Amino acid sequence: MDTSVTRPELLLVADAVSREKNIDREEVLEAMEQAIQKAGRAKYGHEKDIRATIDRKTGEVRLSRWTEAVEHVENEDTQIPLAIARKFQPDIELGGHLVDPLPPIDFGRIAAQTAKQVIVQRVREYERKRQYNEFKDRVGEIVNGTVKRTEYGNLMVEIGNAEGLLRRDELIPRESFRNSDRVRAYIYDVRDEPRGPQIFLSRTHPAFLAKLFAQEVPEIYDGIIEIKAVARDPGSRAKMAVVSRDASIDPVGACVGMRGSRVQAVVAELQGEKIDIIPWSAQAATFVVNALAPAEVSKVVMDEEAGRVEVVVPDEQLSLAIGRRGQNVRLASQLTRWDIDILTEAEESERRQEEFRKRSSLFVDALDVDDVIASLLVTEGFHTIEELAYADANELHDIEGFDESVAEELMLRANDYLAGKEHELDDKRKALGVTDDVAALGTFTNQMLVTLGEKGVKTLDDLADLAGDELVDIFGEDVMDEDTANEIIMAARAHWFEDDDSAVEDKKDGESTDV
């Protein structure tokens, strides 16, 4: 009996689908094989291992049943004992298969419909897989597409054989597109989701502006000029920092172009968004000054630990430095990744004078000295009593008007003041009821012990009952981290385990006496 049927039209269909859907011919034929297998299982039994093959040259279809040779049969429909299998095929090994040819099936209406559904589903899966593989490596590219339809303000954009999503919040404010309009956008994400690959587009992403400049400026495309940072307020204003790897090329001039031709091409694409192109600098202070252009900066004070920078500008430059609704300073902060505080020269001078007065008053009150000596100490950079108490005597000798006796007397008074403060804090700690056991841990200053007392933590048990994050909350993250807090709490709990050990020892001693 002939167990195969030749159907060359299957190959013609596979070729047509392959061309139309841009899918590999082999994948289409595999989908057809799975459809025939499903129809075969519907006829011979879904529980059986029915397989179909299509000859890639002739279109011959073969259907067969596969049975695995095993030692212990668990599923009679797909397995057979090895000893019995060897009666039909003497050379079969454990794990091998007996292949029984089956007569070709006659596709009825329902079977044909089922096969069609399987093929369509598999082709769609291959198409989605192809689209995902095609676009997953194109994240970061600019693509041109056509608006296919609009859904609740979101645009579905046709990109070749795929479809991208341009959400309403990724559109530049006040711009609108209609069906069939051409649109240029930036691919910022591609996700493989159950409903198919999702390609997310944006016209507000900072990298969109950078890519547009790369298309307009050959020096950027060639890597001679590098875009270091971009900050955007889409549709309104943007700042872009650039640097040149070739000293003979001006990065700002190259990006602006002859009579502004290059920058204007980008501005037109971004609906008139004003673009400030500034030179990047490895020196943070210089970079911040450049980023605040067109405002002029008089002074910059950096606080690297806090990531903040204080910028002083002339009084008449304040509004320009801040910008409309804070736009200029906000974009400069995003560009440089520093928190920027803007002060006028008058405000800065007033604040410095107030700080000077406060520090001078501290020395006058604590050391019982006159304003002249206190002012000299502040001028020389002493800000706290602790700095003075632990200073090198030579530092004080070098201050004009200070001799050795004055220097020693000031350091002595500073140490006496600190000792007195510590004594006051210790008395306050005791008055609050914080026990000596807590103080004996040696990890807390007197001020910290007072803080514990004010929060109701007075004994070792009170401290031991805390969680690490609770102890951090009491002092603040700038004073203590959670690892240190956990170590302190474990030290406070140590006496619990000592008590348990003592109880065990007492029990053992009691048992020995009874004997």
Side-chain angles (χ1 to χ4, degrees):
M1 181 179 63
D2 190 7
T3 59
S4 67
V5 59
T6 302
R7 303 190 64 174
E9 69 272 13
L10 291 180
L11 300 181
L12 297 176
V13 172
D15 291 337
V17 173
S18 175
R19 286 193 303 270
E20 181 182 347
K21 299 293 185 179
N22 194 23
I23 300 173
D24 186 65
R25 177 176 182 266
E26 181 64 26
E27 292 180 340
V28 178
L29 288 169
E30 287 177 3
M32 289 180 170
E33 288 175 342
Q34 290 186 5
I36 296 171
Q37 284 175 195
K38 187 168 184 178
R41 288 177 181 175
K43 179 177 181 179
Y44 295 109
H46 290 287
E47 65 282 356
K48 293 182 170 54
D49 185 4
I50 306 297
R51 304 186 189 183
T53 59
I54 300 175
D55 190 284
R56 299 313 191 244
K57 294 181 178 179
T58 64
E60 182 181 15
V61 180
R62 291 185 177 275
L63 201 64
S64 56
R65 173 187 173 184
W66 289 52
T67 309
E68 184 183 8
V70 296
E71 287 188 359
H72 305 289
V73 174
E74 296 179 358
N75 186 341
E76 293 182 353
D77 291 310
T78 59
Q79 296 177 337
I80 186 173
L82 179 62
I84 296 177
R86 281 179 172 167
K87 293 179 180 179
F88 299 98
Q89 186 176 327
D91 59 344
I92 194 170
E93 299 293 336
L94 192 66
H97 288 82
L98 287 177
V99 180
D100 300 318
L102 297 175
I105 60 175
D106 183 19
F107 281 92
R109 183 178 60 84
I110 296 177
Q113 187 67 24
T114 302
K116 180 182 177 182
Q117 290 175 353
V118 172
I119 293 172
V120 170
Q121 181 180 355
R122 291 293 295 175
V123 167
R124 188 178 293 119
E125 289 175 2
Y126 287 134
E127 191 174 12
R128 289 173 176 174
K129 181 180 177 182
R130 177 192 59 75
Q131 287 183 2
Y132 176 72
N133 290 334
E134 177 185 349
F135 282 92
K136 69 178 181 179
D137 296 327
R138 294 183 64 184
V139 173
E141 288 185 13
I142 287 180
V143 292
N144 294 304
T146 305
V147 177
K148 190 174 182 181
R149 64 184 184 278
T150 304
E151 298 177 356
Y152 305 104
N154 302 322
L155 303 183
M156 306 307 297
V157 181
E158 189 174 357
I159 316 167
N161 293 324
E163 195 174 83
L165 172 63
L166 183 55
R167 292 203 310 247
R168 181 169 49 189
D169 58 347
E170 296 292 343
L171 284 167
I172 296 172
R174 297 180 301 280
E175 74 175 352
S176 62
F177 293 93
R178 291 180 293 183
N179 290 352
S180 301
D181 283 354
R182 298 285 296 171
V183 61
R184 189 189 295 186
Y186 174 81
I187 301 176
Y188 70 91
D189 194 14
V190 177
R191 302 175 196 163
D192 190 11
E193 297 184 358
R195 56 180 176 172
Q198 298 298 300
I199 304 167
F200 295 94
L201 307 175
S202 173
R203 286 176 56 80
T204 62
H205 200 287
F208 182 49
L209 184 145
K211 289 292 182 179
L212 287 173
F213 267 101
Q215 291 182 352
E216 296 293 337
V217 183
E219 292 85 351
I220 295 177
Y221 182 82
D222 294 336
I224 300 172
I225 294 175
E226 181 183 359
I227 299 175
K228 299 293 287 188
V230 176
R232 289 184 66 191
D233 192 349
S236 177
R237 192 172 180 183
K239 287 181 181 287
M240 182 176 75
V242 293
V243 64
S244 175
R245 301 183 186 278
D246 187 339
S248 64
I249 296 178
D250 172 24
V252 176
C255 292
V256 172
M258 186 71 68
R259 297 180 182 177
S261 58
R262 291 174 174 176
V263 72
Q264 285 304 318
V266 178
V267 168
E269 177 65 38
L270 300 179
Q271 306 298 317
E273 187 173 314
K274 296 178 182 178
I275 303 172
D276 295 337
I277 304 172
I278 64 171
W280 178 85
S281 174
Q283 298 294 326
T286 304
F287 188 26
V288 169
V289 171
N290 294 342
L292 285 169
E296 297 176 4
V297 176
S298 304
K299 183 179 178 182
V300 175
V301 179
M302 314 290 295
D303 184 351
E304 294 187 2
E305 291 185 1
R308 300 188 71 86
V309 55
E310 192 175 274
V311 176
V312 180
V313 299
D315 293 10
E316 67 277 6
Q317 292 281 316
L318 179 62
S319 60
L320 191 60
I322 294 175
R324 185 182 179 185
R325 297 178 182 175
Q327 186 183 65
N328 192 56
V329 68
R330 183 175 67 253
L331 290 176
S333 181
Q334 293 174 8
L335 192 73
T336 60
R337 297 184 181 179
W338 284 83
D339 292 331
I340 301 175
D341 294 328
I342 305 288
L343 294 175
T344 64
E345 291 177 343
E347 289 173 336
E348 195 263 346
S349 176
E350 183 179 343
R351 197 177 75 172
R352 296 298 177 199
Q353 290 175 10
E354 182 61 27
E355 288 179 357
F356 190 88
R357 284 195 296 270
K358 285 183 179 179
R359 289 169 181 168
S360 297
S361 298
L362 173 66
F363 287 120
V364 170
D365 296 338
L367 306 179
D368 191 23
V369 296
D370 58 29
D371 290 337
V372 176
I373 292 178
S375 297
L376 281 172
L377 289 172
V378 175
T379 303
E380 291 297 324
F382 292 98
H383 297 158
T384 63
I385 303 298
E386 286 81 358
E387 289 179 1
L388 181 60
Y390 304 127
D392 187 346
N394 291 328
E395 289 184 54
L396 295 175
H397 296 166
D398 293 339
I399 299 176
E400 186 177 352
F402 283 17
D403 56 20
E404 187 174 345
S405 61
V406 172
E408 290 178 355
E409 179 63 23
L410 287 173
M411 293 178 68
L412 180 62
R413 291 188 185 186
N415 280 287
D416 288 344
Y417 173 80
L418 293 177
K421 291 292 288 184
E422 287 297 311
H423 185 69
E424 288 178 13
L425 289 171
D426 191 51
D427 289 343
K428 188 174 182 180
R429 183 266 300 179
K430 292 176 181 177
L432 288 169
V434 180
T435 63
D436 292 339
D437 290 340
V438 177
L441 289 174
T443 54
F444 300 118
T445 64
N446 281 332
Q447 182 60 61
M448 295 171 77
L449 291 169
V450 169
T451 302
L452 286 174
E454 292 172 344
K455 295 293 184 179
V457 181
K458 301 180 179 181
T459 67
L460 280 180
D461 286 336
D462 292 339
L463 182 59
D465 285 335
L466 294 177
D469 57 344
E470 293 176 316
L471 189 58
V472 171
D473 289 340
I474 290 175
F475 296 114
E477 294 182 357
D478 55 334
V479 175
M480 180 179 296
D481 58 40
E482 193 163 343
D483 289 339
T484 303
N486 288 330
E487 291 176 6
I488 293 171
I489 291 169
M490 290 306 297
R493 292 174 180 173
H495 71 285
W496 291 352
F497 305 109
E498 291 173 0
D499 292 343
D500 291 343
D501 292 343
S502 298
V504 171
E505 290 298 326
D506 291 344
K507 184 176 180 181
K508 287 182 179 179
D509 292 343
E511 290 173 352
S512 300
T513 303
D514 292 342
V515 173

